[in-house]
Amino acid sequence: MSDNVPFDIQREIIKLLPVKPLLRFRQVSKSWKSLIDSPHFIANYHFSDVTLQHHILVRYYDLKHEQYVSIVDDDHCFPRHKSPLIVPSDASLLGEFPDIIGSSQGVLCLCYKKRSCETNTFVLWNPTIRKSVPIVVPNVFNNTEFQTAVGFGVCPCTSDPKLVKINYISSLQFNPEKCIPSQVEIFNLNSGSWKTFSSMSMPRKSIELTWYQVCVDKFIYWVAADRTLAGQTIRKKKLILSFDVITEEFTEIDLPNNLAYLDDHCLHLSKLFTSLIVLESERGVRKNGRCCAWRMEYGVRNSFTKLYEIKSPSDSLAITRVHDFRKTGEPIIEMLFTERRGSAVFSYEPGSGEITDTGIDGGGFLCLAKSYIETLLLLDQ
């Protein structure tokens, strides 16, 4: 770009470019690199008028190894354009496959769990720029006394990634009259530190959480349950716990009765455009299974509308669950082969019922798919 063009105009042009050209242009001049690497430019980039490219990250297993592939989520080429991804790894964690906790603003949150260890390593990963940041998370419990759930989301106002850790009494020790309150800690990447959370909106002592979570706009949502003790029996009613990453307040959202009493593995959460979606699956209840998508109505926190039901297209395929959604709104689903070992990933068109094979075969192990967008977040870390 000509030196005769004022730098203010250059800046306005640069911020309209897609991520990958921006990464290349950092090598053109020191002034451009300084601009693109600045925290202000990075934080505000996804608020600009540039169209952010969408991708679907798919994790699957071949006969020997765990594989990661990124599919370009484009109307004209989906699902033909695929590229392999290398997941961040730490030598001390070699051999441990990470859990993908969530996706927010182009950043994925991975969890590397060590067996018999209460300190876990979480990794914030931007696959577009191949940048990752490890975070040591202490006191992650999974025992007869305490349990831990962790949520992830990027604040839409500050572009600051956050982890929210909730420790609570295990159901094996649950007694509403004796158990201690839940303990909450929040990690902000910009400050690089944890803080103890204390508020009137703290989760109630009776709340149990799962690791099924999603971030939608400024809210992190978990599948949770309200526990009551009837004699020696613990009864659970499912609900959704939300956390506002801006105001840092918790809120409970009731589920309709047809969802509130399902087993834990039958409920998952996802994001469709700007809406929270509750995904109901009946894996194993019917021969070929089914999945239903329920949308929380905008502005009505306890009201859910059934969008559609997905059934297996043939006896040779058994639907297991919806993993996420394309930018068009089409669900990304996983189906098991009933006549041979393996599972595969498909996209589903709700209007026509048409199913598109992505060409990814899980080889007998469960797949996982997460959508993400191209952003510059973590470039300055």
Side-chain angles (χ1 to χ4, degrees):
M1 195 176 295
S2 174
D3 291 336
N4 295 325
V5 178
F7 190 74
D8 287 347
I9 296 178
Q10 294 183 32
R11 180 173 58 243
E12 293 302 308
I13 295 173
I14 288 173
K15 73 180 185 181
L16 297 177
L17 298 174
V19 170
K20 292 183 179 178
L22 280 177
L23 297 178
R24 294 194 297 269
F25 289 170
R26 293 168 66 242
Q27 312 301 320
V28 172
S29 69
K30 291 183 179 180
S31 60
W32 285 10
K33 186 179 187 303
S34 177
L35 169 66
I36 297 169
D37 289 356
S38 66
H40 182 267
F41 185 90
I42 293 169
N44 289 278
Y45 174 72
H46 62 275
F47 296 123
S48 65
D49 294 330
V50 65
T51 300
L52 302 176
Q53 178 65 60
H54 288 240
H55 295 260
I56 304 294
L57 170 73
V58 179
R59 182 186 69 188
Y60 68 99
Y61 300 85
D62 60 18
L63 295 178
K64 295 182 179 180
H65 304 288
E66 184 183 49
Q67 305 287 350
Y68 291 81
V69 171
S70 177
I71 307 175
V72 176
D73 190 2
D74 186 277
D75 294 341
H76 304 292
C77 66
F78 184 87
R80 295 191 303 274
H81 289 182
K82 305 182 182 75
S83 58
L85 292 175
I86 299 176
V87 175
S89 62
D90 186 308
S92 64
L93 301 168
L94 205 58
E96 296 288 343
F97 294 144
D99 292 329
I100 301 179
I101 304 302
S103 172
S104 179
Q105 303 291 354
V107 177
L108 298 167
C109 181
L110 313 179
C111 175
Y112 290 80
K113 295 180 180 179
K114 289 184 178 181
R115 295 180 181 179
S116 304
C117 183
E118 294 176 355
T119 298
N120 291 176
T121 298
F122 284 64
V123 175
L124 304 185
W125 176 39
N126 185 333
T128 303
I129 64 174
R130 301 180 181 181
K131 188 70 178 287
S132 61
V133 179
I135 301 169
V136 175
V137 183
N139 301 323
V140 177
F141 300 111
N142 181 22
N143 56 46
T144 57
E145 292 186 286
F146 300 101
Q147 296 286 317
T148 300
V150 177
F152 164 70
V154 176
C155 178
C157 294
T158 63
S159 297
D160 187 10
K162 293 188 178 187
L163 291 179
V164 181
K165 183 183 68 173
I166 307 172
N167 290 337
Y168 60 93
I169 294 292
S170 166
S171 288
L172 294 176
Q173 301 290 329
F174 176 69
N175 185 321
E177 296 180 357
K178 297 180 180 180
C179 65
I180 62 175
S182 300
Q183 297 178 344
V184 179
E185 293 179 275
I186 301 173
F187 178 87
N188 294 283
L189 184 61
N190 285 351
S191 66
S193 61
W194 289 90
K195 68 177 182 179
T196 301
F197 176 79
S198 180
S199 169
M200 293 296 292
S201 72
M202 286 280 287
R204 292 182 290 124
K205 294 187 292 184
S206 60
I207 296 298
E208 175 186 68
L209 291 100
T210 71
W211 284 67
Y212 301 136
Q213 65 104 67
V214 69
C215 183
V216 183
D217 191 31
K218 66 174 183 172
F219 294 102
I220 301 172
Y221 298 99
W222 292 266
V223 175
D226 186 16
R227 299 173 290 183
T228 57
L229 195 61
Q232 299 298 316
T233 303
I234 295 177
R235 296 177 178 174
K236 301 179 182 181
K237 182 179 181 181
K238 299 295 186 303
L239 52 83
I240 294 173
L241 184 70
S242 74
F243 179 77
D244 188 321
V245 298
I246 298 176
T247 64
E248 297 190 342
E249 294 179 327
F250 286 98
T251 305
E252 294 177 18
I253 302 171
D254 292 330
L255 288 171
N257 285 339
N258 61 304
L259 299 177
Y261 295 99
L262 293 175
D263 292 338
D264 287 346
H265 67 272
C266 293
L267 288 180
H268 299 83
L269 301 178
S270 190
K271 171 186 175 182
L272 177 58
F273 305 124
T274 59
S275 296
L276 170 67
I277 300 294
V278 177
L279 299 168
E280 170 197 3
S281 63
E282 284 193 353
R283 184 171 50 202
V285 175
R286 301 180 183 180
K287 178 182 178 181
N288 288 348
R290 72 180 183 96
C291 290
C292 296
W294 298 78
R295 180 180 63 200
M296 186 173 76
E297 291 304 315
Y298 181 76
V300 186
R301 297 187 66 86
N302 297 313
S303 178
F304 290 84
T305 300
K306 184 177 178 179
L307 297 180
Y308 44 76
E309 178 177 313
I310 307 173
K311 296 182 179 180
S312 301
S314 68
D315 290 340
S316 63
L317 292 169
I319 186 169
T320 57
R321 61 169 289 193
V322 175
H323 284 280
D324 213 327
F325 293 86
R326 293 188 56 201
K327 69 174 184 178
T328 59
E330 295 179 6
I332 300 296
I333 62 177
E334 179 188 358
M335 291 194 283
L336 294 172
F337 298 108
T338 59
E339 299 174 355
R340 67 176 177 88
R341 188 171 182 262
S343 65
V345 179
F346 302 80
S347 66
Y348 173 82
E349 209 295 308
S352 64
E354 180 181 353
I355 290 178
T356 302
D357 189 349
T358 64
I360 297 176
D361 188 330
F365 295 91
L366 292 179
C367 304
L368 188 145
K370 286 287 184 184
S371 63
Y372 69 95
I373 57 176
E374 293 185 358
T375 66
L376 293 172
L377 292 183
L378 305 186
L379 185 63
D380 57 339
Q381 296 296 321

